[in-house]
Structure formats: C-alpha cells, structure tokens
mmCIF file of all heavy atoms in Angstrom:
data_model
loop_
_atom_site.group_PDB
_atom_site.id
_atom_site.type_symbol
_atom_site.label_atom_id
_atom_site.label_comp_id
_atom_site.label_asym_id
_atom_site.label_seq_id
_atom_site.Cartn_x
_atom_site.Cartn_y
_atom_site.Cartn_z
ATOM 1 N N ALA R 1 191.289 22.262 64.802
ATOM 2 C CA ALA R 1 192.666 21.919 64.386
ATOM 3 C C ALA R 1 193.084 22.686 63.152
ATOM 4 O O ALA R 1 194.237 23.169 63.065
ATOM 5 C CB ALA R 1 192.726 20.401 64.090
ATOM 6 N N ALA R 2 192.177 22.816 62.203
ATOM 7 C CA ALA R 2 192.492 23.627 60.970
ATOM 8 C C ALA R 2 192.787 25.078 61.316
ATOM 9 O O ALA R 2 193.691 25.712 60.830
ATOM 10 C CB ALA R 2 191.318 23.509 59.952
ATOM 11 N N ALA R 3 192.003 25.638 62.280
ATOM 12 C CA ALA R 3 192.200 27.021 62.694
ATOM 13 C C ALA R 3 193.545 27.140 63.450
ATOM 14 O O ALA R 3 194.340 28.107 63.235
ATOM 15 C CB ALA R 3 191.096 27.476 63.603
ATOM 16 N N PHE R 4 193.875 26.122 64.244
ATOM 17 C CA PHE R 4 195.127 26.166 65.046
ATOM 18 C C PHE R 4 196.320 26.150 64.020
ATOM 19 O O PHE R 4 197.259 26.906 64.227
ATOM 20 C CB PHE R 4 195.205 24.970 65.965
ATOM 21 C CG PHE R 4 196.508 24.825 66.670
ATOM 22 C CD1 PHE R 4 196.775 25.627 67.780
ATOM 23 C CD2 PHE R 4 197.494 23.973 66.206
ATOM 24 C CE1 PHE R 4 198.029 25.542 68.432
ATOM 25 C CE2 PHE R 4 198.705 23.865 66.893
ATOM 26 C CZ PHE R 4 198.964 24.685 68.000
ATOM 27 N N GLU R 5 196.184 25.288 63.002
ATOM 28 C CA GLU R 5 197.281 25.235 62.016
ATOM 29 C C GLU R 5 197.449 26.570 61.325
ATOM 30 O O GLU R 5 198.583 27.011 61.163
ATOM 31 C CB GLU R 5 196.968 24.132 60.991
ATOM 32 C CG GLU R 5 198.130 23.916 60.048
ATOM 33 C CD GLU R 5 198.116 22.522 59.427
ATOM 34 O OE1 GLU R 5 197.262 21.732 59.726
ATOM 35 O OE2 GLU R 5 199.001 22.292 58.590
ATOM 36 N N GLY R 6 196.387 27.251 60.977
ATOM 37 C CA GLY R 6 196.482 28.575 60.375
ATOM 38 C C GLY R 6 197.170 29.561 61.287
ATOM 39 O O GLY R 6 198.041 30.360 60.902
ATOM 40 N N GLY R 7 196.822 29.510 62.611
ATOM 41 C CA GLY R 7 197.457 30.369 63.563
ATOM 42 C C GLY R 7 198.939 30.097 63.770
ATOM 43 O O GLY R 7 199.738 31.046 63.889
ATOM 44 N N MET R 8 199.314 28.825 63.707
ATOM 45 C CA MET R 8 200.742 28.479 63.820
ATOM 46 C C MET R 8 201.503 28.966 62.645
ATOM 47 O O MET R 8 202.648 29.421 62.762
ATOM 48 C CB MET R 8 200.897 26.966 63.989
ATOM 49 C CG MET R 8 200.385 26.424 65.321
ATOM 50 S SD MET R 8 201.265 27.047 66.716
ATOM 51 C CE MET R 8 202.915 26.437 66.437
ATOM 52 N N ILE R 9 200.938 28.892 61.475
ATOM 53 C CA ILE R 9 201.605 29.436 60.265
ATOM 54 C C ILE R 9 201.818 30.946 60.400
ATOM 55 O O ILE R 9 202.888 31.456 60.052
ATOM 56 C CB ILE R 9 200.782 29.077 58.985
ATOM 57 C CG1 ILE R 9 200.806 27.559 58.779
ATOM 58 C CG2 ILE R 9 201.354 29.797 57.775
ATOM 59 C CD1 ILE R 9 199.795 27.082 57.711
ATOM 60 N N LEU R 10 200.782 31.612 60.895
ATOM 61 C CA LEU R 10 200.955 33.065 61.127
ATOM 62 C C LEU R 10 202.019 33.384 62.127
ATOM 63 O O LEU R 10 202.827 34.289 61.893
ATOM 64 C CB LEU R 10 199.550 33.645 61.589
ATOM 65 C CG LEU R 10 199.537 35.146 61.796
ATOM 66 C CD1 LEU R 10 199.832 35.898 60.558
ATOM 67 C CD2 LEU R 10 198.161 35.557 62.361
ATOM 68 N N LEU R 11 202.064 32.636 63.201
ATOM 69 C CA LEU R 11 203.106 32.842 64.220
ATOM 70 C C LEU R 11 204.467 32.601 63.635
ATOM 71 O O LEU R 11 205.405 33.389 63.894
ATOM 72 C CB LEU R 11 202.895 31.891 65.417
ATOM 73 C CG LEU R 11 203.920 31.997 66.514
ATOM 74 C CD1 LEU R 11 203.903 33.385 67.185
ATOM 75 C CD2 LEU R 11 203.627 30.907 67.586
ATOM 76 N N ALA R 12 204.640 31.534 62.817
ATOM 77 C CA ALA R 12 205.970 31.298 62.202
ATOM 78 C C ALA R 12 206.322 32.472 61.287
ATOM 79 O O ALA R 12 207.479 32.881 61.211
ATOM 80 C CB ALA R 12 205.919 29.987 61.412
ATOM 81 N N ALA R 13 205.344 33.000 60.569
ATOM 82 C CA ALA R 13 205.639 34.132 59.677
ATOM 83 C C ALA R 13 206.113 35.342 60.458
ATOM 84 O O ALA R 13 207.059 36.048 60.018
ATOM 85 C CB ALA R 13 204.402 34.491 58.866
ATOM 86 N N VAL R 14 205.534 35.578 61.605
ATOM 87 C CA VAL R 14 205.961 36.712 62.487
ATOM 88 C C VAL R 14 207.397 36.481 62.935
ATOM 89 O O VAL R 14 208.248 37.424 62.885
ATOM 90 C CB VAL R 14 205.005 36.927 63.649
ATOM 91 C CG1 VAL R 14 205.560 37.886 64.692
ATOM 92 C CG2 VAL R 14 203.655 37.387 63.166
ATOM 93 N N VAL R 15 207.710 35.300 63.409
ATOM 94 C CA VAL R 15 209.084 35.032 63.887
ATOM 95 C C VAL R 15 210.068 35.146 62.751
ATOM 96 O O VAL R 15 211.150 35.761 62.953
ATOM 97 C CB VAL R 15 209.156 33.599 64.519
ATOM 98 C CG1 VAL R 15 210.566 33.167 64.816
ATOM 99 C CG2 VAL R 15 208.311 33.539 65.809
ATOM 100 N N ILE R 16 209.767 34.636 61.595
ATOM 101 C CA ILE R 16 210.642 34.718 60.449
ATOM 102 C C ILE R 16 210.854 36.166 60.027
ATOM 103 O O ILE R 16 211.969 36.609 59.743
ATOM 104 C CB ILE R 16 210.111 33.878 59.276
ATOM 105 C CG1 ILE R 16 210.216 32.390 59.623
ATOM 106 C CG2 ILE R 16 210.794 34.180 57.951
ATOM 107 C CD1 ILE R 16 209.411 31.483 58.718
ATOM 108 N N THR R 17 209.775 36.960 60.045
ATOM 109 C CA THR R 17 209.902 38.394 59.711
ATOM 110 C C THR R 17 210.778 39.126 60.683
ATOM 111 O O THR R 17 211.663 39.951 60.294
ATOM 112 C CB THR R 17 208.467 39.032 59.661
ATOM 113 O OG1 THR R 17 207.688 38.335 58.717
ATOM 114 C CG2 THR R 17 208.559 40.501 59.321
ATOM 115 N N ILE R 18 210.592 38.864 61.974
ATOM 116 C CA ILE R 18 211.466 39.495 63.022
ATOM 117 C C ILE R 18 212.928 39.148 62.809
ATOM 118 O O ILE R 18 213.814 39.980 62.859
ATOM 119 C CB ILE R 18 210.972 39.112 64.438
ATOM 120 C CG1 ILE R 18 209.620 39.775 64.735
ATOM 121 C CG2 ILE R 18 212.001 39.518 65.482
ATOM 122 C CD1 ILE R 18 208.933 39.302 65.967
ATOM 123 N N ARG R 19 213.226 37.884 62.506
ATOM 124 C CA ARG R 19 214.595 37.420 62.285
ATOM 125 C C ARG R 19 215.151 38.132 61.058
ATOM 126 O O ARG R 19 216.310 38.529 61.020
ATOM 127 C CB ARG R 19 214.615 35.906 62.137
ATOM 128 C CG ARG R 19 215.911 35.331 61.640
ATOM 129 C CD ARG R 19 216.940 35.215 62.777
ATOM 130 N NE ARG R 19 218.066 34.452 62.304
ATOM 131 C CZ ARG R 19 219.306 34.836 62.422
ATOM 132 N NH1 ARG R 19 219.600 35.928 63.112
ATOM 133 N NH2 ARG R 19 220.298 34.149 61.952
ATOM 134 N N THR R 20 214.327 38.247 59.989
ATOM 135 C CA THR R 20 214.808 38.857 58.770
ATOM 136 C C THR R 20 215.128 40.351 59.011
ATOM 137 O O THR R 20 216.167 40.855 58.545
ATOM 138 C CB THR R 20 213.771 38.722 57.658
ATOM 139 O OG1 THR R 20 213.512 37.315 57.461
ATOM 140 C CG2 THR R 20 214.231 39.326 56.380
ATOM 141 N N ILE R 21 214.267 41.028 59.700
ATOM 142 C CA ILE R 21 214.468 42.443 60.003
ATOM 143 C C ILE R 21 215.771 42.608 60.800
ATOM 144 O O ILE R 21 216.563 43.498 60.557
ATOM 145 C CB ILE R 21 213.243 43.054 60.687
ATOM 146 C CG1 ILE R 21 212.093 43.145 59.731
ATOM 147 C CG2 ILE R 21 213.562 44.443 61.276
ATOM 148 C CD1 ILE R 21 210.772 43.504 60.325
ATOM 149 N N ASP R 22 215.954 41.726 61.813
ATOM 150 C CA ASP R 22 217.141 41.803 62.625
ATOM 151 C C ASP R 22 218.384 41.631 61.773
ATOM 152 O O ASP R 22 219.373 42.409 61.922
ATOM 153 C CB ASP R 22 217.109 40.676 63.693
ATOM 154 C CG ASP R 22 218.308 40.732 64.579
ATOM 155 O OD1 ASP R 22 218.613 41.813 65.156
ATOM 156 O OD2 ASP R 22 218.986 39.666 64.764
ATOM 157 N N ILE R 23 218.392 40.702 60.832
ATOM 158 C CA ILE R 23 219.557 40.484 59.954
ATOM 159 C C ILE R 23 219.760 41.745 59.086
ATOM 160 O O ILE R 23 220.928 42.176 58.910
ATOM 161 C CB ILE R 23 219.355 39.200 59.094
ATOM 162 C CG1 ILE R 23 219.508 37.983 59.959
ATOM 163 C CG2 ILE R 23 220.295 39.183 57.943
ATOM 164 C CD1 ILE R 23 219.127 36.689 59.289
ATOM 165 N N LEU R 24 218.676 42.284 58.534
ATOM 166 C CA LEU R 24 218.819 43.428 57.679
ATOM 167 C C LEU R 24 219.322 44.702 58.373
ATOM 168 O O LEU R 24 220.167 45.420 57.907
ATOM 169 C CB LEU R 24 217.484 43.781 56.944
ATOM 170 C CG LEU R 24 216.999 42.770 55.891
ATOM 171 C CD1 LEU R 24 215.616 43.112 55.434
ATOM 172 C CD2 LEU R 24 217.970 42.733 54.707
ATOM 173 N N LEU R 25 218.816 44.892 59.581
ATOM 174 C CA LEU R 25 219.192 46.118 60.348
ATOM 175 C C LEU R 25 220.617 45.996 60.929
ATOM 176 O O LEU R 25 221.359 46.987 61.011
ATOM 177 C CB LEU R 25 218.188 46.381 61.516
ATOM 178 C CG LEU R 25 216.813 46.782 61.043
ATOM 179 C CD1 LEU R 25 215.905 46.947 62.282
ATOM 180 C CD2 LEU R 25 216.859 48.070 60.234
ATOM 181 N N HIS R 26 221.005 44.823 61.331
ATOM 182 C CA HIS R 26 222.309 44.652 61.977
ATOM 183 C C HIS R 26 223.356 44.027 61.064
ATOM 184 O O HIS R 26 224.455 43.785 61.471
ATOM 185 C CB HIS R 26 222.177 43.795 63.219
ATOM 186 C CG HIS R 26 221.278 44.449 64.233
ATOM 187 N ND1 HIS R 26 219.982 44.090 64.458
ATOM 188 C CD2 HIS R 26 221.519 45.452 65.127
ATOM 189 C CE1 HIS R 26 219.457 44.794 65.403
ATOM 190 N NE2 HIS R 26 220.360 45.692 65.797
ATOM 191 N N LYS R 27 222.935 43.805 59.809
ATOM 192 C CA LYS R 27 223.851 43.252 58.826
ATOM 193 C C LYS R 27 224.642 42.062 59.432
ATOM 194 O O LYS R 27 225.836 41.918 59.240
ATOM 195 C CB LYS R 27 224.794 44.270 58.264
ATOM 196 C CG LYS R 27 224.040 45.374 57.587
ATOM 197 C CD LYS R 27 224.997 46.387 56.911
ATOM 198 C CE LYS R 27 224.190 47.524 56.535
ATOM 199 N NZ LYS R 27 223.947 48.085 55.453
ATOM 200 N N SER R 28 223.898 41.192 60.080
ATOM 201 C CA SER R 28 224.558 40.056 60.804
ATOM 202 C C SER R 28 224.334 38.741 60.081
ATOM 203 O O SER R 28 224.352 37.716 60.673
ATOM 204 C CB SER R 28 224.011 39.975 62.236
ATOM 205 O OG SER R 28 222.611 39.684 62.198
ATOM 206 N N ALA R 29 224.026 38.873 58.790
ATOM 207 C CA ALA R 29 223.812 37.636 58.035
ATOM 208 C C ALA R 29 225.083 36.827 57.984
ATOM 209 O O ALA R 29 226.155 37.295 57.692
ATOM 210 C CB ALA R 29 223.380 37.968 56.587
ATOM 211 N N PRO R 30 224.954 35.523 58.332
ATOM 212 C CA PRO R 30 226.154 34.668 58.323
ATOM 213 C C PRO R 30 226.611 34.389 56.855
ATOM 214 O O PRO R 30 225.917 34.515 55.934
ATOM 215 C CB PRO R 30 225.659 33.350 58.960
ATOM 216 C CG PRO R 30 224.158 33.386 58.767
ATOM 217 C CD PRO R 30 223.740 34.821 58.727
ATOM 218 N N THR R 31 227.864 34.053 56.763
ATOM 219 C CA THR R 31 228.449 33.630 55.491
ATOM 220 C C THR R 31 227.852 32.292 55.117
ATOM 221 O O THR R 31 227.818 31.369 55.920
ATOM 222 C CB THR R 31 229.955 33.531 55.566
ATOM 223 O OG1 THR R 31 230.488 34.810 56.047
ATOM 224 C CG2 THR R 31 230.604 33.199 54.269
ATOM 225 N N VAL R 32 227.383 32.208 53.896
ATOM 226 C CA VAL R 32 226.795 30.985 53.432
ATOM 227 C C VAL R 32 227.844 30.061 52.879
ATOM 228 O O VAL R 32 228.670 30.455 52.085
ATOM 229 C CB VAL R 32 225.678 31.251 52.368
ATOM 230 C CG1 VAL R 32 225.106 29.961 51.844
ATOM 231 C CG2 VAL R 32 224.575 32.154 52.994
ATOM 232 N N GLY R 33 227.783 28.800 53.292
ATOM 233 C CA GLY R 33 228.759 27.814 52.783
ATOM 234 C C GLY R 33 228.037 26.496 52.448
ATOM 235 O O GLY R 33 226.907 26.315 52.722
ATOM 236 N N ARG R 34 228.755 25.620 51.762
ATOM 237 C CA ARG R 34 228.259 24.289 51.341
ATOM 238 C C ARG R 34 226.867 24.341 50.713
ATOM 239 O O ARG R 34 225.967 23.616 51.106
ATOM 240 C CB ARG R 34 228.244 23.353 52.539
ATOM 241 C CG ARG R 34 229.520 22.937 53.134
ATOM 242 C CD ARG R 34 230.495 22.159 52.183
ATOM 243 N NE ARG R 34 229.901 21.179 51.336
ATOM 244 C CZ ARG R 34 229.887 19.864 51.576
ATOM 245 N NH1 ARG R 34 230.463 19.398 52.593
ATOM 246 N NH2 ARG R 34 229.358 19.063 50.691
ATOM 247 N N LEU R 35 226.751 25.175 49.692
ATOM 248 C CA LEU R 35 225.480 25.311 49.000
ATOM 249 C C LEU R 35 225.068 24.022 48.336
ATOM 250 O O LEU R 35 223.878 23.711 48.229
ATOM 251 C CB LEU R 35 225.552 26.450 47.978
ATOM 252 C CG LEU R 35 225.459 27.875 48.585
ATOM 253 C CD1 LEU R 35 225.531 28.887 47.498
ATOM 254 C CD2 LEU R 35 224.169 28.024 49.377
ATOM 255 N N ASP R 36 226.035 23.290 47.861
ATOM 256 C CA ASP R 36 225.740 22.013 47.139
ATOM 257 C C ASP R 36 224.941 21.065 48.038
ATOM 258 O O ASP R 36 223.883 20.550 47.703
ATOM 259 C CB ASP R 36 226.968 21.329 46.574
ATOM 260 C CG ASP R 36 228.048 21.116 47.651
ATOM 261 O OD1 ASP R 36 227.989 21.739 48.737
ATOM 262 O OD2 ASP R 36 228.959 20.271 47.399
ATOM 263 N N LEU R 37 225.457 20.835 49.274
ATOM 264 C CA LEU R 37 224.793 19.972 50.206
ATOM 265 C C LEU R 37 223.467 20.561 50.697
ATOM 266 O O LEU R 37 222.492 19.862 50.801
ATOM 267 C CB LEU R 37 225.734 19.670 51.391
ATOM 268 C CG LEU R 37 225.211 18.675 52.433
ATOM 269 C CD1 LEU R 37 224.800 17.367 51.825
ATOM 270 C CD2 LEU R 37 226.284 18.500 53.507
ATOM 271 N N GLY R 38 223.494 21.884 50.940
ATOM 272 C CA GLY R 38 222.257 22.527 51.392
ATOM 273 C C GLY R 38 221.139 22.404 50.334
ATOM 274 O O GLY R 38 220.005 22.142 50.717
ATOM 275 N N ILE R 39 221.473 22.620 49.065
ATOM 276 C CA ILE R 39 220.474 22.524 48.041
ATOM 277 C C ILE R 39 219.950 21.085 47.898
ATOM 278 O O ILE R 39 218.732 20.881 47.734
ATOM 279 C CB ILE R 39 221.057 23.015 46.688
ATOM 280 C CG1 ILE R 39 221.181 24.529 46.735
ATOM 281 C CG2 ILE R 39 220.144 22.614 45.525
ATOM 282 C CD1 ILE R 39 221.956 25.114 45.530
#
C-alpha cells in the first residue's frame, strides 16, 4: 500500500507536468477570477 501510494503520487506529478507544459506551450491559461473565495 505504501509503494502504491508513492506510485500514485508520481503519476499525479506526471499528469500535472503535462498539463503545465500544455498551458505554457499553447498559452491557454484561463483567466483567474474570485481569488478571495479560492484562497
């Protein structure tokens, strides 16, 4: 279970990295709104 959790964290990091690269390359970052509620 501990090893599985580590693997899931690694998988999430890969997905997040891919999403970030996509946003940087395509400049498709959405406009951020309602920061007060988000924070």
Side-chain angles (χ1 to χ4, degrees):
F4 176 80
E5 187 157 355
M8 291 298 296
I9 293 168
L10 181 61
L11 179 63
V14 168
V15 170
I16 290 165
T17 301
I18 290 168
R19 170 81 171 130
T20 303
I21 291 169
D22 181 53
I23 288 171
L24 290 173
L25 292 178
H26 298 101
K27 298 184 192 244
S28 63
T31 303
V32 177
R34 291 300 318 261
L35 284 178
D36 55 340
L37 183 55
I39 289 171

